[in-house]
Coordinates of all heavy atoms in Angstrom, one line a residue:
M1 N 12.4 -14.5 6.8 CA 11.5 -13.5 7.3 C 10.0 -13.8 7.5 O 9.3 -13.5 8.3 CB 11.7 -12.1 6.5 CG 11.3 -10.9 7.4 SD 12.0 -10.7 9.0 CE 13.0 -9.2 8.8
P2 N 9.5 -14.5 6.4 CA 8.0 -14.8 6.5 C 7.6 -15.6 7.7 O 6.5 -15.5 8.2 CB 7.8 -15.5 5.2 CG 8.8 -15.1 4.3 CD 10.0 -14.9 5.1
I3 N 8.5 -16.5 8.2 CA 8.2 -17.4 9.3 C 8.1 -16.4 10.6 O 7.2 -16.6 11.3 CB 9.3 -18.4 9.6 CG1 9.3 -19.4 8.4 CG2 9.1 -19.1 10.8 CD1 10.4 -20.4 8.3
A4 N 9.0 -15.4 10.7 CA 9.0 -14.5 11.9 C 7.8 -13.7 11.9 O 7.1 -13.5 12.9 CB 10.1 -13.7 11.9
Y5 N 7.3 -13.3 10.7 CA 6.0 -12.5 10.7 C 4.8 -13.4 10.9 O 3.9 -13.0 11.6 CB 5.9 -11.8 9.3 CG 4.8 -10.9 9.1 CD1 4.8 -9.8 9.9 CD2 3.7 -11.1 8.3 CE1 3.7 -8.8 9.9 CE2 2.7 -10.3 8.2 CZ 2.6 -9.1 9.0 OH 1.7 -8.2 8.9
G6 N 4.8 -14.5 10.4 CA 3.8 -15.5 10.9 C 3.7 -15.8 12.3 O 2.5 -15.9 12.8
V7 N 4.8 -15.9 12.9 CA 4.7 -16.1 14.4 C 4.2 -15.0 15.0 O 3.4 -15.0 16.0 CB 6.3 -16.3 14.9 CG1 6.3 -16.3 16.4 CG2 6.7 -17.7 14.4
L8 N 4.5 -13.7 14.6 CA 4.1 -12.4 15.3 C 2.4 -12.4 15.0 O 1.7 -12.0 15.9 CB 4.7 -11.3 14.7 CG 6.1 -11.0 15.1 CD1 6.7 -9.8 14.2 CD2 6.2 -10.6 16.5
L9 N 2.0 -12.8 13.8 CA 0.6 -12.8 13.5 C -0.1 -13.8 14.5 O -1.2 -13.4 15.0 CB 0.3 -13.2 12.1 CG 0.5 -12.2 11.0 CD1 0.4 -12.8 9.7 CD2 -0.4 -11.0 11.2
A10 N 0.4 -15.0 14.7 CA -0.2 -16.0 15.5 C -0.2 -15.6 17.1 O -1.2 -15.7 17.7 CB 0.6 -17.3 15.5
M11 N 0.9 -15.0 17.5 CA 1.1 -14.5 18.8 C 0.0 -13.2 19.1 O -0.6 -13.2 20.0 CB 2.5 -13.9 19.2 CG 3.5 -15.1 19.3 SD 5.1 -14.5 19.6 CE 4.9 -13.5 21.1
G12 N -0.1 -12.5 18.1 CA -1.0 -11.3 18.2 C -2.4 -11.8 18.3 O -3.2 -11.3 19.0
G13 N -2.7 -12.8 17.5 CA -4.1 -13.4 17.5 C -4.5 -13.9 18.8 O -5.6 -13.9 19.4
Q14 N -3.5 -14.6 19.5 CA -3.7 -15.2 20.8 C -3.7 -14.2 21.9 O -4.5 -14.4 22.8 CB -2.6 -16.3 21.0 CG -2.6 -17.5 20.2 CD -1.3 -18.3 20.4 OE1 -0.4 -18.0 21.2 NE2 -1.3 -19.5 19.7
E15 N -3.0 -13.2 21.7 CA -2.8 -12.2 22.8 C -3.6 -10.9 22.6 O -3.6 -10.0 23.4 CB -1.4 -11.9 23.2 CG -0.6 -13.1 23.6 CD 0.9 -12.8 23.9 OE1 1.2 -11.5 24.0 OE2 1.7 -13.7 24.0
N16 N -4.4 -10.9 21.4 CA -5.3 -9.8 21.1 C -4.6 -8.5 21.0 O -5.0 -7.4 21.4 CB -6.5 -9.7 22.2 CG -7.7 -9.0 21.7 OD1 -7.9 -8.9 20.5 ND2 -8.3 -8.3 22.5
W17 N -3.4 -8.5 20.2 CA -2.9 -7.2 19.7 C -2.6 -7.3 18.2 O -2.6 -8.4 17.6 CB -1.5 -7.0 20.5 CG -0.5 -8.1 20.9 CD1 -0.5 -8.8 22.0 CD2 0.5 -8.5 20.0 NE1 0.5 -9.7 21.9 CE2 1.2 -9.5 20.7 CE3 0.9 -8.2 18.7 CZ2 2.3 -10.2 20.2 CZ3 2.1 -8.9 18.1 CH2 2.7 -9.9 18.9
V18 N -2.3 -6.2 17.7 CA -2.2 -6.1 16.2 C -0.7 -6.3 15.8 O 0.1 -5.6 16.5 CB -2.7 -4.6 15.7 CG1 -2.5 -4.4 14.3 CG2 -4.2 -4.5 16.1
T19 N -0.5 -6.9 14.8 CA 0.8 -7.1 14.2 C 0.8 -6.2 12.9 O 0.0 -6.5 12.0 CB 1.1 -8.5 13.8 OG1 1.2 -9.3 15.1 CG2 2.5 -8.6 13.4
A20 N 1.6 -5.3 12.9 CA 1.6 -4.4 11.6 C 2.8 -4.7 10.7 O 3.8 -4.9 11.2 CB 1.6 -2.9 12.1
H21 N 2.4 -4.7 9.3 CA 3.5 -4.9 8.5 C 3.9 -3.5 7.9 O 3.3 -3.0 7.1 CB 3.0 -5.8 7.3 CG 4.0 -6.2 6.3 ND1 4.0 -7.3 5.6 CD2 5.2 -5.7 5.9 CE1 5.1 -7.5 4.8 NE2 5.8 -6.5 5.0
A22 N 4.8 -3.0 8.6 CA 5.1 -1.5 8.4 C 6.7 -1.1 8.5 O 7.4 -2.0 8.9 CB 4.4 -0.7 9.4
S23 N 6.9 0.0 8.0 CA 8.3 0.6 8.1 C 8.2 1.9 8.7 O 7.2 2.6 8.5 CB 9.0 0.5 6.7 OG 10.2 1.0 6.8
T24 N 9.2 2.4 9.4 CA 9.1 3.7 9.9 C 10.4 4.5 9.5 O 11.5 3.9 9.3 CB 9.2 3.7 11.5 OG1 10.2 2.9 12.0 CG2 7.8 3.1 12.0
V25 N 10.3 5.7 9.6 CA 11.5 6.6 9.3 C 11.3 7.8 10.1 O 10.3 8.3 10.4 CB 11.5 7.0 7.7 CG1 10.4 7.9 7.3 CG2 12.9 7.7 7.5
Q26 N 12.4 8.4 10.6 CA 12.6 9.6 11.4 C 13.0 10.8 10.5 O 14.2 10.6 9.9 CB 13.3 9.4 12.6 CG 13.1 10.6 13.6 CD 13.8 10.2 14.9 OE1 14.9 10.1 15.0 NE2 13.0 10.1 16.0
V27 N 12.3 11.8 10.3 CA 12.7 12.9 9.6 C 13.3 14.0 10.5 O 12.6 14.3 11.5 CB 11.5 13.5 8.8 CG1 12.0 14.7 7.9 CG2 11.0 12.5 7.8
I28 N 14.5 14.4 10.3 CA 15.1 15.4 11.1 C 15.2 16.7 10.3 O 16.0 16.6 9.3 CB 16.5 14.9 11.7 CG1 16.3 13.5 12.3 CG2 17.2 15.9 12.6 CD1 17.6 12.7 12.4
T29 N 14.8 17.7 10.8 CA 14.8 19.0 10.0 C 16.1 19.7 10.3 O 16.8 19.3 11.1 CB 13.6 19.9 10.5 OG1 13.9 20.5 11.8 CG2 12.3 19.3 10.4
P30 N 16.4 20.8 9.5 CA 17.7 21.6 9.8 C 17.7 22.2 11.2 O 18.7 22.6 11.7 CB 17.6 22.7 8.7 CG 16.8 22.1 7.6 CD 15.7 21.2 8.4
Y31 N 16.5 22.3 11.8 CA 16.4 22.8 13.1 C 16.4 21.8 14.3 O 16.1 22.0 15.4 CB 15.2 23.7 13.3 CG 15.0 24.7 12.2 CD1 14.2 24.5 11.1 CD2 15.8 25.8 12.2 CE1 14.1 25.3 10.2 CE2 15.8 26.8 11.2 CZ 14.9 26.5 10.1 OH 14.8 27.3 9.1
D32 N 16.8 20.6 13.9 CA 16.9 19.3 14.7 C 15.5 19.0 15.3 O 15.4 18.3 16.4 CB 17.8 19.5 15.9 CG 19.2 19.4 15.3 OD1 19.5 18.6 14.3 OD2 20.1 20.0 15.9
N33 N 14.4 19.4 14.7 CA 13.0 18.8 15.0 C 12.9 17.5 14.4 O 13.5 17.2 13.2 CB 12.0 19.8 14.4 CG 11.9 21.1 15.1 OD1 12.2 21.2 16.2 ND2 11.6 22.1 14.2
K34 N 12.3 16.6 15.1 CA 12.2 15.2 14.6 C 10.6 14.8 14.5 O 9.9 15.1 15.4 CB 12.8 14.2 15.6 CG 14.4 14.4 15.6 CD 14.9 13.5 16.7 CE 16.4 13.8 16.9 NZ 17.1 13.0 17.9
V35 N 10.3 14.2 13.4 CA 9.1 13.8 13.1 C 9.2 12.2 12.7 O 10.0 11.9 11.8 CB 8.3 14.5 12.1 CG1 6.8 13.9 11.8 CG2 8.2 15.9 12.4
T36 N 8.3 11.3 13.3 CA 8.5 9.9 12.9 C 7.1 9.5 12.0 O 6.1 9.9 12.5 CB 8.6 9.0 14.1 OG1 9.8 9.5 14.8 CG2 8.8 7.5 13.7
F37 N 7.4 8.9 10.9 CA 6.3 8.5 10.0 C 6.3 7.0 10.0 O 7.4 6.3 10.0 CB 6.5 9.0 8.6 CG 6.3 10.4 8.4 CD1 7.5 11.3 8.5 CD2 5.2 11.0 8.3 CE1 7.3 12.6 8.4 CE2 5.0 12.4 8.2 CZ 6.2 13.2 8.2
R38 N 5.1 6.4 10.0 CA 5.0 4.9 9.9 C 4.2 4.6 8.7 O 3.1 5.2 8.4 CB 4.3 4.2 11.0 CG 4.2 2.8 10.9 CD 3.6 2.2 12.0 NE 2.2 1.9 11.6 CZ 1.3 1.3 12.4 NH1 1.5 1.0 13.7 NH2 0.1 1.0 11.9
H39 N 4.7 3.8 7.8 CA 4.0 3.4 6.4 C 3.7 2.0 6.6 O 4.5 1.1 6.7 CB 5.0 3.6 5.3 CG 4.3 3.2 4.0 ND1 3.9 2.0 3.6 CD2 4.2 4.1 2.8 CE1 3.4 2.0 2.4 NE2 3.6 3.3 1.9
E40 N 2.4 1.7 6.7 CA 1.9 0.2 6.8 C 1.4 -0.2 5.5 O 0.7 0.6 4.7 CB 0.8 0.2 7.8 CG 0.4 -1.2 8.2 CD -0.6 -1.3 9.2 OE1 -0.9 -0.3 9.9 OE2 -1.2 -2.5 9.4
G41 N 1.7 -1.4 5.0 CA 1.2 -1.9 3.7 C 1.8 -3.3 3.4 O 2.7 -3.8 4.1
A42 N 1.3 -3.7 2.3 CA 1.8 -5.1 1.8 C 3.2 -5.1 1.3 O 3.8 -4.0 1.0 CB 0.8 -5.5 0.7
S43 N 3.8 -6.2 1.1 CA 5.1 -6.3 0.4 C 5.0 -5.7 -0.9 O 4.1 -5.8 -1.7 CB 5.5 -7.8 0.3 OG 5.7 -8.4 1.6
G44 N 6.1 -4.8 -1.2 CA 6.1 -4.2 -2.5 C 5.3 -2.9 -2.5 O 5.1 -2.3 -3.5
G45 N 4.9 -2.5 -1.4 CA 4.1 -1.2 -1.3 C 4.9 0.1 -1.1 O 4.3 1.1 -0.8
G46 N 6.2 0.0 -1.1 CA 7.1 1.2 -1.1 C 7.5 1.5 0.4 O 8.0 2.7 0.5
K47 N 7.4 0.6 1.2 CA 7.9 1.0 2.7 C 9.4 1.2 2.6 O 9.8 2.2 3.4 CB 7.4 -0.1 3.5 CG 6.0 -0.4 3.7 CD 5.6 -1.4 4.6 CE 6.1 -2.8 4.3 NZ 5.6 -3.4 3.0
S48 N 10.2 0.5 2.1 CA 11.7 0.7 2.2 C 12.1 1.9 1.5 O 13.1 2.4 1.8 CB 12.4 -0.6 1.6 OG 12.2 -0.7 0.3
E49 N 11.3 2.4 0.5 CA 11.7 3.5 -0.3 C 11.7 4.8 0.6 O 12.2 5.9 0.2 CB 10.9 3.8 -1.5 CG 11.1 2.8 -2.6 CD 10.6 1.4 -2.4 OE1 10.0 1.1 -1.4 OE2 11.0 0.5 -3.4
M50 N 11.1 4.7 1.9 CA 10.9 5.9 2.7 C 12.3 6.4 3.1 O 12.5 7.6 3.6 CB 10.1 5.7 3.9 CG 8.6 5.4 3.7 SD 7.5 5.6 5.1 CE 8.4 4.6 6.3
L51 N 13.4 5.5 3.1 CA 14.8 5.9 3.6 C 15.5 6.5 2.4 O 16.7 6.9 2.6 CB 15.3 4.6 4.2 CG 14.9 4.3 5.5 CD1 15.4 3.0 6.0 CD2 15.1 5.4 6.5
E52 N 15.0 6.5 1.1 CA 15.9 6.9 0.0 C 15.8 8.4 -0.1 O 14.8 9.0 0.4 CB 15.3 6.4 -1.3 CG 15.5 4.9 -1.5 CD 14.9 4.4 -2.9 OE1 14.6 5.2 -3.6 OE2 15.0 3.2 -3.1
P53 N 16.7 9.1 -0.5 CA 16.7 10.5 -0.8 C 15.6 10.9 -1.8 O 15.4 10.0 -2.7 CB 18.1 10.8 -1.4 CG 18.9 9.7 -1.1 CD 18.1 8.4 -1.0
A54 N 15.0 12.0 -1.7 CA 13.9 12.3 -2.6 C 14.5 12.5 -4.0 O 15.6 13.0 -4.2 CB 13.4 13.7 -2.2
H55 N 13.7 12.2 -5.0 CA 14.2 12.4 -6.4 C 13.8 13.8 -6.8 O 12.7 14.1 -7.0 CB 13.4 11.4 -7.2 CG 13.8 10.0 -6.8 ND1 14.8 9.2 -7.2 CD2 13.0 9.0 -6.1 CE1 14.7 8.1 -6.7 NE2 13.7 7.8 -6.0
R56 N 14.9 14.6 -6.9 CA 14.8 15.9 -7.3 C 14.9 16.2 -8.8 O 15.5 15.5 -9.5 CB 15.8 16.9 -6.5 CG 15.6 16.8 -5.1 CD 16.6 17.7 -4.3 NE 16.4 17.7 -2.9 CZ 15.7 18.6 -2.3 NH1 15.1 19.5 -2.9 NH2 15.5 18.5 -0.9
R57 N 14.2 17.3 -9.2 CA 14.4 17.8 -10.6 C 15.7 18.4 -10.7 O 16.4 18.7 -9.8 CB 13.2 18.7 -10.9 CG 11.8 18.3 -10.5 CD 11.4 17.3 -11.4 NE 10.9 17.9 -12.7 CZ 10.2 17.4 -13.7 NH1 9.6 16.3 -13.5 NH2 9.9 18.0 -14.7
P58 N 16.2 18.6 -12.0 CA 17.4 19.3 -12.3 C 17.7 20.7 -11.5 O 18.7 21.0 -11.0 CB 17.6 19.6 -13.8 CG 16.7 18.4 -14.3 CD 15.5 18.3 -13.3
D59 N 16.5 21.4 -11.4 CA 16.5 22.7 -10.6 C 16.5 22.5 -9.1 O 16.4 23.5 -8.3 CB 15.4 23.6 -11.1 CG 14.0 23.1 -10.7 OD1 13.9 22.0 -10.1 OD2 13.1 23.8 -11.1
G60 N 16.4 21.4 -8.7 CA 16.4 21.0 -7.2 C 15.0 20.9 -6.5 O 14.9 20.5 -5.4
S61 N 14.0 21.2 -7.3 CA 12.6 21.1 -6.8 C 12.2 19.6 -6.9 O 12.7 18.8 -7.5 CB 11.7 22.0 -7.7 OG 11.5 21.4 -8.9
L62 N 11.1 19.4 -6.1 CA 10.5 18.1 -6.1 C 9.1 18.2 -6.9 O 8.3 19.1 -6.7 CB 10.1 17.7 -4.6 CG 11.3 17.6 -3.7 CD1 10.7 17.4 -2.2 CD2 12.1 16.5 -4.1
L63 N 8.9 17.1 -7.8 CA 7.7 17.2 -8.5 C 6.5 16.5 -7.7 O 6.7 15.4 -7.3 CB 7.8 16.4 -9.8 CG 6.6 16.2 -10.7 CD1 6.1 17.5 -11.2 CD2 7.0 15.2 -11.9
L64 N 5.5 17.3 -7.3 CA 4.5 16.7 -6.5 C 3.5 16.0 -7.4 O 2.8 15.1 -6.9 CB 3.8 17.8 -5.6 CG 4.7 18.5 -4.6 CD1 3.9 19.6 -3.9 CD2 5.2 17.5 -3.6
G65 N 3.2 16.5 -8.6 CA 2.1 15.9 -9.5 C 2.1 16.6 -10.8 O 2.6 17.7 -10.9
K66 N 1.6 16.0 -11.7 CA 1.3 16.5 -13.1 C -0.1 16.2 -13.6 O -0.7 15.1 -13.4 CB 2.3 15.8 -13.9 CG 2.4 16.3 -15.4 CD 3.3 15.6 -16.4 CE 3.2 16.2 -17.7 NZ 4.3 15.7 -18.6
N67 N -0.8 17.3 -14.1 CA -2.1 17.1 -14.6 C -2.0 16.4 -16.0 O -1.3 17.1 -16.9 CB -2.8 18.5 -14.7 CG -4.2 18.4 -15.2 OD1 -4.5 17.7 -16.1 ND2 -5.0 19.2 -14.5
L68 N -2.5 15.3 -16.2 CA -2.3 14.5 -17.4 C -3.2 15.2 -18.6 O -2.8 14.8 -19.7 CB -2.8 13.1 -17.2 CG -1.9 12.3 -16.1 CD1 -2.5 10.9 -16.0 CD2 -0.5 12.4 -16.5
V69 N -4.0 16.0 -18.3 CA -4.8 16.6 -19.3 C -4.2 17.9 -19.7 O -4.0 18.1 -21.0 CB -6.3 17.0 -18.9 CG1 -7.1 17.7 -19.8 CG2 -7.0 15.7 -18.4
T70 N -3.8 18.8 -18.9 CA -3.2 20.1 -19.3 C -1.7 20.1 -19.3 O -1.0 21.0 -19.9 CB -3.5 21.3 -18.2 OG1 -3.1 21.0 -17.0 CG2 -5.2 21.3 -18.2
G71 N -1.1 19.1 -18.7 CA 0.4 19.0 -18.5 C 0.9 19.9 -17.5 O 2.2 19.9 -17.2
D72 N 0.1 20.5 -16.8 CA 0.6 21.5 -15.7 C 1.2 20.7 -14.5 O 0.8 19.5 -14.2 CB -0.5 22.4 -15.0 CG -1.0 23.4 -16.0 OD1 -0.3 23.8 -16.9 OD2 -2.2 23.9 -15.7
E73 N 2.4 21.1 -14.0 CA 3.1 20.4 -12.9 C 3.0 21.3 -11.7 O 3.1 22.5 -11.7 CB 4.5 20.1 -13.3 CG 4.7 19.2 -14.5 CD 6.2 18.9 -14.8 OE1 7.0 19.7 -14.4 OE2 6.3 17.9 -15.6
R74 N 3.0 20.6 -10.6 CA 3.1 21.3 -9.2 C 4.5 20.8 -8.6 O 4.8 19.7 -8.6 CB 2.1 20.7 -8.3 CG 0.6 21.1 -8.7 CD 0.4 22.5 -8.4 NE -1.0 22.9 -8.7 CZ -1.8 23.8 -8.1 NH1 -1.3 24.4 -7.2 NH2 -2.9 24.1 -8.6
H75 N 5.2 21.8 -8.2 CA 6.6 21.6 -7.7 C 6.6 22.1 -6.3 O 5.9 23.0 -5.8 CB 7.6 22.2 -8.5 CG 7.7 21.7 -9.8 ND1 7.0 22.2 -10.9 CD2 8.3 20.8 -10.5 CE1 7.3 21.7 -12.0 NE2 8.1 20.7 -11.8
L76 N 7.6 21.5 -5.5 CA 7.8 21.9 -4.1 C 9.4 22.2 -4.1 O 10.2 21.5 -4.4 CB 7.5 20.9 -3.1 CG 7.9 21.2 -1.6 CD1 7.0 22.3 -1.1 CD2 7.6 19.9 -0.8
N77 N 9.7 23.5 -3.5 CA 11.1 23.8 -3.4 C 11.4 23.8 -2.0 O 10.9 24.5 -1.1 CB 11.3 25.3 -4.0 CG 11.2 25.3 -5.5 OD1 11.8 24.6 -6.1 ND2 10.4 26.3 -6.0
L78 N 12.5 23.0 -1.6 CA 12.9 22.9 -0.2 C 14.3 23.5 -0.3 O 15.3 22.8 -1.0 CB 12.9 21.5 0.2 CG 11.6 20.7 0.3 CD1 11.6 19.3 0.8 CD2 10.7 21.6 1.4
T79 N 14.5 24.5 0.4 CA 15.8 25.2 0.3 C 16.9 24.5 1.3 O 18.1 24.7 1.0 CB 15.7 26.7 0.6 OG1 15.2 26.9 1.8 CG2 14.9 27.4 -0.4
Q80 N 16.4 23.9 2.2 CA 17.3 23.2 3.2 C 17.0 21.7 3.2 O 15.9 21.3 3.1 CB 17.2 23.7 4.6 CG 17.5 25.3 4.6 CD 17.3 25.9 6.0 OE1 16.3 25.3 6.7 NE2 18.1 26.7 6.5
N81 N 17.9 20.9 3.4 CA 17.8 19.5 3.3 C 17.3 18.8 4.6 O 17.8 19.3 5.6 CB 19.1 18.8 2.8 CG 19.5 19.0 1.4 OD1 18.6 19.1 0.7 ND2 20.8 19.0 1.1
L82 N 16.6 17.9 4.5 CA 16.2 17.1 5.6 C 17.1 15.9 5.7 O 17.6 15.4 4.7 CB 14.7 16.7 5.4 CG 13.7 17.7 5.3 CD1 12.3 17.1 4.9 CD2 13.6 18.6 6.5
R83 N 17.1 15.3 6.9 CA 17.9 14.1 7.1 C 17.0 13.0 7.5 O 15.8 13.3 8.1 CB 18.9 14.2 8.3 CG 19.9 15.2 8.0 CD 21.1 15.2 9.1 NE 20.7 15.0 10.5 CZ 20.6 16.0 11.4 NH1 21.0 17.2 11.1 NH2 20.2 15.7 12.6
F84 N 17.2 11.8 7.1 CA 16.3 10.6 7.4 C 17.1 9.6 8.2 O 18.2 9.4 7.9 CB 15.8 10.0 6.1 CG 15.1 11.0 5.2 CD1 15.7 11.6 4.2 CD2 13.7 11.1 5.4 CE1 14.9 12.6 3.4 CE2 13.0 12.0 4.7 CZ 13.7 12.8 3.7
A85 N 16.4 9.1 9.2 CA 17.1 8.1 10.0 C 16.2 6.9 10.2 O 14.9 7.0 10.2 CB 17.4 8.6 11.5
S86 N 16.7 5.7 10.1 CA 16.0 4.5 10.3 C 15.6 4.3 11.8 O 16.2 4.8 12.6 CB 16.9 3.3 10.0 OG 16.1 2.2 10.2
C87 N 14.4 3.8 12.1 CA 13.9 3.7 13.4 C 14.0 2.1 13.9 O 13.2 1.8 14.7 CB 12.4 4.1 13.5 SG 12.2 5.8 13.1
N88 N 14.9 1.5 13.4 CA 15.1 0.0 13.8 C 15.5 -0.1 15.2 O 16.3 0.6 15.7 CB 16.0 -0.6 12.8 CG 15.5 -0.8 11.3 OD1 14.2 -0.7 11.3 ND2 16.3 -1.0 10.4

C-alpha cells in the first residue's frame, strides 16, 4: 500500500491536486438520514476505528469525557442505534 500512496502523491504534485490520507464512514440514522464523515490523518491516527461500534458503558450510555480533577463524567444517551457503512 505505501507504493500506491506514493504514486498518488507524485501524480497529485504533477497535476496540482491534493492526495488525502483519509478514511470515510457513512452514518445512517434510524430515520434513514445519511451523513458522511471523513477523518484525515497519519497512520495510527484512528481512521479505521470509525467503522467500529461505539464503546458503551454498562448502562448503554457513551462516555464523552471525564474531568480529571473532580472526577465528574459527561455521558450521552442514544436510545436508538445508528448504522455505519463503509464508503469504499
Side-chain angles (χ1 to χ4, degrees):
M1 196 63 111
I3 296 171
Y5 188 63
V7 170
L8 287 173
L9 286 173
M11 288 175 61
Q14 292 173 357
E15 298 182 16
N16 201 25
W17 43 265
V18 176
T19 302
H21 189 150
S23 181
T24 56
V25 65
Q26 190 171 66
V27 179
I28 305 163
T29 72
Y31 308 103
D32 287 329
N33 296 322
K34 296 177 182 176
V35 180
T36 303
F37 293 93
R38 183 180 104 180
H39 180 303
E40 185 175 352
S43 295
K47 295 180 299 296
S48 62
E49 284 79 2
M50 291 195 319
L51 290 172
E52 291 184 5
H55 301 282
R56 294 182 180 265
R57 311 285 288 195
D59 65 358
S61 67
L62 299 171
L63 177 64
L64 296 180
K66 181 176 181 176
N67 185 317
L68 298 178
V69 175
T70 66
D72 291 340
E73 294 182 344
R74 297 276 179 155
H75 297 90
L76 176 64
N77 291 310
L78 295 174
T79 57
Q80 297 176 324
N81 288 329
L82 302 172
R83 297 187 322 254
F84 300 95
S86 176
C87 295
N88 293 339

